[in-house]
Amino acid sequence: MTATAQTLRPPSRTLMFLEGRAIHEFGAFLGALPLLSLAPPGDGHPVLVLPGLVASDVSTRALRAFLTSKGYAVSGWRQGRNYGLREGVQDAMVDLVEELSDKHGRKISLVGWSLGGLYARQLAKMMPERVRQVITLGSPFAGDPRSTNAWRVYEWASGRKADEVDPRFGGELAVPPPVPTTAIFSRTDGVCAWQGCMEKSGAQTESIEVESSHCGMGHHPAAVYAVADRLAQKDGQWQPFDRSGWRSVVYPDPHR
C-alpha cells in the first residue's frame, strides 16, 4: 500500500449529503438522451455491466438500455444484489465472461460501477485473452478501502474485512489490467475519495473526470457519453480520450 493510499480520507459529510443529487442526475440523463444519441455507434461486441455495492442490475438498467440502443450486446451481471465476494460470486462472473465471449465469438468489454469496477479490473487480469477493455465508474482501486464511506457496509454485507485481498482474484487492485483501461471519477464523489478512483496515465490507461455524484455516475450524461465513446473504439486501436473542442469544457484535465 502506498503512502498516498494510506493518507486518503473519505469524502466529507457535506459531499455525502449531496449524493441526493443522483436523482436529479437521472432526470438530466433522460433530458440529454437526444444529445447522447450523437455518441458514436457500437460495433455489436459484448459488454458486461457490473453494479456497485448492495446494488443490482436494476441500478444499471438505464446505462445498459442506452448501450444496447447504440448497438452493443449488453448484459447485466445476473447475480441479484452485489453483496461483495461471497462464496460463488467470483466463479459466476468468470463463467459469465466466458459465456458472453464464446457466444459472440469476440472479446468482451467490462464496465463496472464502484465495487463492480474493482471486479472488472480483476477479471481482466485473470482473463486478458477474453477482455477487450475495462471502464470503471467511481471505483476506489487505488486507495485504502477505508478511504470510502462504504467500507463498513461492505464488511457487513460480505462478511469479509474491507482490506482483505484474495490473491486468486487478480492480485493487487491498484495494478492496472493488461488491457486498455479507463477510470471515470468525480472530485465531488460523496462515497469514495476521488484520488483513489484515478488510473495512472500510460500507453493504454487513462482517467476521465466528470462532475457527478457517486450514486448517479452510472447515469450521469457526461459519464454515459464517455463510456459510449470509449466502447466505440476499434479493437486493437485504443487511443486516449480526446478532450479537444467542446469536450474541454465538459471534461477537464484530470491531472490539473
Side-chain angles (χ1 to χ4, degrees):
M1 186 185 304
T2 67
T4 301
Q6 289 177 323
T7 56
L8 288 181
R9 298 177 61 85
S12 67
R13 291 183 179 179
T14 299
L15 285 176
M16 188 66 179
F17 176 78
L18 290 175
E19 281 297 307
R21 71 190 191 275
I23 298 173
H24 302 290
E25 288 166 341
F26 183 70
F29 165 75
L30 295 177
L33 283 174
L35 290 175
L36 288 173
S37 68
L38 300 177
D43 62 359
H45 79 269
V47 177
L48 173 58
V49 183
L50 302 163
L53 178 63
V54 303
S56 69
D57 286 333
V58 173
S59 69
T60 65
R61 183 178 293 164
L63 175 59
R64 288 185 289 114
F66 175 74
L67 295 179
T68 298
S69 76
K70 299 305 295 182
Y72 299 101
V74 187
S75 173
W77 88 315
R78 306 177 188 172
Q79 292 196 61
R81 289 194 177 277
N82 182 357
Y83 290 118
L85 284 178
R86 292 185 169 188
E87 187 69 28
V89 169
Q90 176 181 326
D91 291 341
M93 288 191 292
V94 168
D95 290 345
L96 183 53
V97 170
E98 292 177 342
E99 174 192 328
L100 295 173
S101 177
D102 289 343
K103 176 181 177 181
H104 297 278
R106 306 175 70 175
K107 290 183 178 180
I108 178 174
S109 288
L110 302 176
V111 180
W113 189 352
S114 195
L115 179 59
L118 305 188
Y119 295 165
R121 291 172 65 88
Q122 302 309 89
L123 288 167
K125 295 173 191 177
M126 296 173 63
M127 315 167 72
E129 74 285 353
R130 290 183 179 269
V131 177
R132 178 163 163 167
Q133 69 172 305
V134 170
I135 302 172
T136 61
L137 296 158
S139 300
F141 53 82
D144 185 283
R146 290 175 176 78
S147 64
T148 78
N149 284 315
W151 68 269
R152 291 183 180 85
V153 176
Y154 177 84
E155 291 190 344
W156 166 80
S158 68
R160 299 162 62 102
K161 292 294 185 181
D163 56 0
E164 182 179 343
V165 177
D166 187 342
R168 298 168 299 174
F169 191 34
E172 187 179 347
L173 279 174
V175 175
V179 300
T181 303
T182 298
I184 299 175
F185 74 98
S186 170
R187 293 174 194 255
T188 59
D189 190 316
V191 176
C192 301
W194 61 268
Q195 299 93 330
C197 301
M198 289 184 66
E199 183 58 273
K200 298 176 182 177
S201 296
Q204 56 180 6
T205 55
E206 65 177 348
S207 298
I208 299 175
E209 182 180 350
V210 296
E211 189 173 339
S212 167
S213 67
H214 182 87
C215 296
M217 199 172 295
H219 51 250
H220 188 283
V224 171
Y225 182 92
V227 170
D229 179 271
R230 302 290 76 204
L231 291 176
Q233 298 179 97
K234 293 182 179 180
D235 191 15
Q237 298 182 29
W238 187 89
Q239 293 292 326
F241 187 66
D242 179 8
R243 293 186 181 82
S244 63
W246 65 267
R247 295 186 184 188
S248 64
V249 179
V250 180
Y251 303 99
D253 181 353
H255 299 288
R256 69 185 193 280

